[in-house]
Amino acid sequence: MNLPLSPAVTAPAAGSPDAEALIHNLADSLSLAEQVQLLTGADVWSTHTLPSIGLSRIVLSDGPAGVRGEDFDERHDSVSLPSSSALSASWSAELAHRYGQVLGQEARRKGVHAVLGPTINLHRSPLGGRHFECMSEDPRLTATMAAGYVAGVQSMGVGATPKHYLANESETDRFTVDSVVAERPLRELYLAAFEDAITESRAWLVMSSYNSINGTTASENDLLETPLSTEWGFDGVVVSDWTGVRSVEAANAHQDLEMPGPVGHWSAKLLAAVESGQVSREAIVEKVVRILRLAARVGSLDGVSPAVAELPAALDSAAVAREVAIRGAVLIRNSAGLLPLDASALTSVALSGHNADEARTQGGGSATVMPKQNISPLMGLREALPATTSLSYTRGAKVAEGLQQFARTALHNPVSNVPGARVTFLDASGTEIFAEDRLASSLIWFGVGIPEGTAAITISTDWTAEQAGVHHLGLGTVGQARLSFNGTEVFNGELLDTTNVLGAALFDPPSTVHQIETTAGETVRIEAHYTLPPEQFIPLTAILLGEEAVVTDPQAEIDDAVAAASSADVAIVVVGTNSSIESEGFDRSNLDLPGHQNELVRAVAAANPRTIVVVNSGSPVLMPWLEDVGAVLLGWFGGQEFGRAIADILLGVAEPGGRLPTSWPAALADVPVLSTTPVEGKLEYAEGIHVGYRAWLQQQAAGGPAPAVPFGFGLGYTSFEFSAPHAPQQVQAGNDVIVHVPVRNTGSRAGREVVQVYLERPDSTVERPVRWLAGFAGTHLAPAGTESVEVRIPARAFEHYDGGWQVERGAFRILVGKHVEDDFQVLAIDVR
Ligand code: BGC
């Protein structure tokens, strides 16, 4: 379904005074019951229609690294972009803008009017479960990237939804935790990260978070009023996180839209609350106005032409996905110029690591989308290496835990005689109501797709074993189910959800696994029968058929990888995390690579000094072998084109462009801000303004450990020299400052550098971070090319919050460098 462009009539444009007048009139013209109805979703993903005023649906969809659409259905595929951590590692607002445009384009293709992203909570602790989905530990970098993303989405006439407002930096007890944050860090860090997306890119929505902030749940919190609506002038819709409205009280706050619907805490209860005077009618009308304004902007309100009348030229989504994966990949070690490899001189490459084959291209949870195909590093290298180079693959160490859905190519639908699986929906008497052919063996229905009257669902597929041996096959779901292999029942019982976390059971359900021995190429008929529970508060059903990798001798797997590596020109090990570690709904308990991956890297590196490690994780992991391998490339969750991007980088077709958006520690015990575990329901942000590199610098100043790799760090394939920067020696408080930095590419390849400018305030009378990022700018230069790069330091960078934004007049230091711990060039500036 494609969204309509503006009609050719001369309707007032969204945002014009005439459109505003019309919207106010329409809101006033509705009965109270109609007004209240509009404030709760019509279903899981969309709002109510009101044909009498020409209002059609507003469809919202996750976000943030792809647009899923209204169903979790692999037949309706979505472009999967690299995780936000990868995007922000590019330090490029222009790239964030294009990333947003791809999302906007995807949204239009899928009939979606608002993308539920970007996620711009900060990387406060590396244990945060949704770290991969957030951008950075620094508010300046986050704000810049988020503003680019929002502007990009909205340039396509689709709303963007910065989330989760506010102080939702971790997942433990996420529905109830009270984040206790003092005013200054709230303003200087957590709110600052959101600010540009609202004040500059004018986001059309904001999502309030599940947690409380200083004692009040987000959907009822005054922060929705100030600074969001008052100081920042937000005129869009505050949508709740799914089930995040807890009472009618939220209607007295600036919470506008309750999702999902149709039954929530508002509806009839809110109607009664207005009638009894507990909630004012003005508050209701104001929310209706905001919802109609959003509808007008996205083209869901007749009589108003949408905010974007002319769309930018179509983008090649896969090309953008690949570019972001390349430009976000961070090269943190490249000893003796091992990279880039010269493909024409390579005779053999030994690739190992579970994630090289089953790459993790996106994080888990609501961010999940279903791309047509994910390119793994194995596939990418196979495609890219010349035919004369032999490429071997050994798993080396298992990473994925539990059941993994079957490869689509291994499935055959026995009823329709096509690839995939046959799914039937049965009524209470066992009669088939509906049937469909599916392509995948991980099936999720969230509010959409299960016909009315369904009492049970069956799945049937013929799975072909690629290899001979004992296979561990099974079924994952929550509830009453049966499973059979070749007509023999192997399970009949109930699988219980132990997590009790909305969504977690969807992506990592409890399972039952059974052994079956096959020859290579043998087919097994797998049939599952699932009984729907009589009632579901949230209409969520997930059924997974798959195989579990069971390794009885981990050393033998490592030995295989070592044997291949020792005789190869170069060894590449792809290590990473799995869905049990980085996902929504829970935090991590440590930063270790799962399984025997560290042993694998050490053994391969000992066998071949030309060992390259590619890290496939959305957030920091510990790399105890960092100094012992030839090269290390952090590839994040690289999206659907991950493998091609990795091949491009390793073979020198492209340069890795990333700079770390977050400090990576050497040991868990070193991390200055770590715990995400609330105490008596409260998570104290006790570190105040010292988060991320600010905390590391504070710790180092006191003689404590430094991170393994500092914020801002990243290598390319060429070298750059900065000559003496210049900036005014004094500035009037309240003004921006431009720093000019002459940059020269001193290497033999074209490449990109990011000029980073930090501030320090020696002898301050105010508590300060040791230093803080004030601005940055990128430049791309040919060999011997030069440019005077302009970096803008916004006036705000000189300010601190104390009841309002304040300037401590006097001498600041401007530091110009390539990362937060560089050997800086220093300028002095007097703020008057
Ligand atoms: C997540 C949001 C998401 C929403 C809808 C929630 O559980 O926290 O980020 O947008 O679900 O899927």
Side-chain angles (χ1 to χ4, degrees):
M1 183 197 334
N2 282 309
L3 297 186
L5 267 177
S6 59
V9 290
T10 51
S16 66
D18 284 354
E20 283 292 303
L22 180 75
I23 286 166
H24 279 89
N25 286 340
L26 288 176
D28 285 336
S29 73
L30 301 177
S31 69
L32 178 61
E34 286 171 324
Q35 290 169 339
V36 167
Q37 191 192 35
L38 288 183
L39 307 186
T40 297
D43 53 36
V44 175
W45 300 114
S46 71
T47 57
H48 280 282
T49 62
L50 211 47
S52 61
I53 60 163
L55 176 66
S56 44
R57 299 195 317 152
I58 304 172
V59 178
L60 306 100
S61 175
D62 293 302
V67 183
R68 197 173 46 244
E70 285 182 86
D71 55 28
F72 277 84
D73 191 321
E74 75 290 345
R75 294 168 299 177
H76 310 147
D77 54 86
S78 307
V79 171
S80 166
L81 294 168
S83 56
S84 303
S85 47
L87 174 64
S88 58
S90 75
W91 291 58
S92 167
E94 176 277 323
L95 195 58
H97 191 272
R98 260 187 300 136
Y99 184 105
Q101 285 189 315
V102 168
L103 296 172
Q105 180 169 288
E106 281 287 281
R108 298 190 75 91
R109 182 172 73 82
K110 293 187 148 254
V112 166
H113 305 90
V115 175
L116 300 175
T119 307
I120 48 183
N121 302 106
L122 293 186
H123 291 163
R124 176 173 172 266
S125 158
L127 296 179
R130 294 177 86 172
H131 203 286
F132 66 87
E133 218 184 302
C134 308
M135 291 184 159
S136 166
E137 65 190 13
D138 179 79
R140 175 77 263 130
L141 178 58
T142 299
T144 302
M145 299 305 291
Y149 176 124
V150 167
V153 172
Q154 294 190 170
S155 73
M156 303 302 284
V158 170
T161 315
K163 67 183 186 183
H164 310 84
Y165 188 89
L166 195 71
N168 184 188
E169 271 66 39
S170 48
E171 292 291 283
T172 308
D173 298 343
R174 67 175 183 152
F175 297 117
T176 54
V177 61
D178 181 17
S179 300
V180 179
V181 197
E183 186 180 45
R184 191 162 168 217
L186 209 53
R187 285 286 188 157
E188 293 185 17
L189 300 173
Y190 303 102
L191 285 164
F194 276 80
E195 198 165 342
D196 292 2
I198 314 301
T199 57
E200 287 177 16
S201 302
R202 311 244 45 111
W204 297 344
L205 302 94
V206 161
M207 184 188 287
S208 55
S209 55
Y210 286 130
N211 54 287
S212 293
I213 308 103
N214 297 326
T216 306
T217 194
S219 56
E220 297 172 21
N221 204 293
D222 287 345
L223 287 164
L224 298 178
E225 178 75 11
T226 300
L228 183 63
S229 296
T230 52
E231 291 171 30
W232 296 353
F234 176 68
D235 66 357
V237 169
V238 176
V239 56
S240 68
D241 200 344
W242 267 227
T243 71
V245 162
R246 273 64 189 256
S247 73
V248 291
E249 269 314 305
N252 280 324
H254 236 301
Q255 179 67 47
D256 301 309
L257 175 62
E258 175 187 37
M259 289 299 285
V263 180
H265 281 96
W266 283 2
S267 318
K269 281 181 237 158
L270 183 53
L271 190 61
V274 181
E275 278 162 351
S276 71
Q278 193 189 345
V279 174
S280 76
R281 183 81 185 257
E282 292 72 47
I284 301 296
V285 172
E286 168 67 13
K287 297 177 201 309
V288 172
V289 164
R290 283 170 177 251
I291 289 169
L292 294 182
R293 185 179 291 134
L294 174 63
R297 283 172 164 157
V298 299
S300 291
L301 185 64
D302 289 350
V304 182
S305 50
V308 176
E310 212 174 302
L311 291 183
L315 285 92
D316 177 344
S317 316
V320 175
R322 186 167 175 171
E323 187 181 346
V324 175
I326 291 168
R327 291 182 55 186
V330 186
L331 182 64
I332 57 168
R333 181 176 169 82
N334 191 14
S335 86
L338 174 55
L339 289 175
L341 300 169
D342 176 0
S344 65
L346 279 179
T347 52
S348 55
V349 174
L351 178 66
S352 62
H354 204 169
N355 291 32
D357 183 21
E358 291 176 29
R360 205 137 150 71
T361 53
Q362 55 180 322
S366 60
T368 308
V369 297
M370 309 206 174
K372 205 171 269 167
Q373 193 186 18
N374 280 318
I375 305 295
S376 67
L378 176 57
M379 292 158 84
L381 283 166
R382 255 189 206 139
E383 241 176 54
L385 281 170
T388 47
T389 310
S390 83
L391 172 66
S392 70
Y393 173 68
T394 42
R395 185 167 63 191
K398 174 188 144 175
V399 176
E401 291 293 338
L403 275 188
Q404 303 299 312
Q405 62 171 310
F406 292 122
R408 292 185 194 180
T409 47
L411 301 179
H412 188 81
N413 176 331
V415 177
S416 307
N417 198 22
V418 289
R422 179 71 169 180
V423 177
T424 64
F425 301 87
L426 312 176
D427 69 13
S429 70
T431 306
E432 183 176 309
I433 314 176
F434 179 66
E436 60 186 13
D437 296 334
R438 299 292 297 258
L439 305 171
S441 67
S442 170
L443 306 175
I444 296 169
W445 294 273
F446 191 5
V448 184
I450 298 183
E452 191 79 37
T454 300
I457 299 173
T458 69
I459 305 173
S460 161
T461 188
D462 287 335
W463 170 77
T464 303
E466 206 180 315
Q467 283 160 2
V470 174
H471 301 274
H472 298 78
L473 310 184
L475 163 73
T477 191
V478 175
Q480 198 67 43
R482 303 200 295 265
L483 178 69
S484 69
F485 298 157
N486 293 329
T488 306
E489 190 168 275
V490 292
F491 177 77
N492 185 348
E494 189 175 4
L495 291 164
L496 295 173
D497 172 21
T498 46
T499 63
N500 205 17
V501 170
L502 173 70
L506 211 86
F507 298 99
D508 206 3
S511 61
T512 172
V513 176
H514 305 270
Q515 296 185 14
I516 184 162
E517 189 162 4
T518 71
T519 56
E522 188 179 330
T523 291
V524 180
R525 167 77 47 94
I526 303 174
E527 287 165 306
H529 181 282
Y530 174 76
T531 307
L532 257 76
E535 257 178 54
Q536 279 183 304
F537 175 58
I538 297 280
L540 229 170
T541 300
I543 307 175
L544 164 71
L545 294 178
E547 181 172 14
E548 180 171 358
V550 173
V551 178
T552 44
D553 185 357
Q555 190 57 45
E557 292 219 309
I558 294 177
D559 292 346
D560 286 348
V562 167
S566 52
S567 59
D569 288 348
V570 63
I572 303 169
V573 191
V574 180
V575 296
T577 57
N578 60 33
S579 61
S580 322
I581 291 180
E582 286 188 85
S583 192
E584 180 175 331
F586 51 86
D587 289 318
R588 297 160 78 188
S589 53
N590 61 58
L591 302 176
D592 296 332
L593 284 167
H596 299 273
Q597 297 186 88
N598 288 334
E599 289 95 309
L600 172 67
V601 173
R602 283 216 168 90
V604 169
N608 189 330
R610 284 161 56 83
T611 291
I612 300 156
V613 180
V614 176
V615 181
N616 174 208
S617 68
S619 44
V621 294
L622 302 180
M623 300 169 291
W625 31 258
L626 179 58
E627 304 295 324
D628 307 326
V629 300
V632 179
L633 178 69
L634 311 181
W636 312 106
F637 293 152
Q640 64 178 46
E641 302 296 319
F642 179 54
R644 293 197 174 108
I646 294 300
D648 284 346
I649 293 170
L650 298 185
L651 302 179
V653 176
E655 183 196 45
R659 303 291 182 266
L660 273 191
T662 285
S663 318
W664 276 45
L668 188 71
D670 295 350
V671 178
V673 179
L674 185 67
S675 176
T676 57
T677 308
V679 178
E680 292 175 4
K682 293 185 190 303
L683 187 63
E684 301 267 356
Y685 286 33
E687 69 285 349
I689 56 170
H690 305 283
V691 164
Y693 64 82
R694 303 165 195 234
W696 284 100
L697 290 171
Q698 187 190 42
Q699 171 172 290
Q700 287 162 247
V709 198
F711 175 81
F713 184 82
L715 304 167
Y717 288 158
T718 185
S719 49
F720 289 92
E721 202 177 82
F722 296 178
S723 330
H726 49 99
Q729 288 172 345
Q730 61 185 51
V731 61
Q732 214 58 42
N735 289 312
D736 295 356
V737 170
I738 303 291
V739 184
H740 293 269
V741 185
V743 178
R744 181 181 159 80
N745 181 346
T746 51
S748 55
R749 287 178 60 114
R752 182 168 187 270
E753 184 57 286
V754 179
V755 180
Q756 302 171 29
V757 174
Y758 296 85
L759 289 181
E760 282 182 0
R761 177 62 194 250
D763 306 321
S764 177
T765 56
V766 183
E767 184 193 359
R768 301 256 182 198
V770 174
R771 82 183 55 106
W772 62 99
L773 182 69
F776 60 91
T779 176
H780 191 272
L781 293 172
T786 57
E787 188 188 333
S788 178
V789 176
E790 258 188 39
V791 181
R792 190 175 66 90
I793 305 181
R796 173 67 66 75
F798 295 98
E799 297 171 359
H800 63 280
Y801 200 87
D802 183 4
W805 290 104
Q806 314 287 345
V807 188
E808 182 192 14
R809 288 179 165 72
F812 285 76
R813 278 153 54 92
I814 298 176
L815 299 93
V816 178
K818 298 176 184 163
H819 60 84
V820 74
E821 298 194 31
D822 204 3
D823 196 4
F824 292 107
Q825 308 213 39
V826 183
L827 299 168
I829 186 161
D830 187 19
V831 180
R832 305 184 146 209

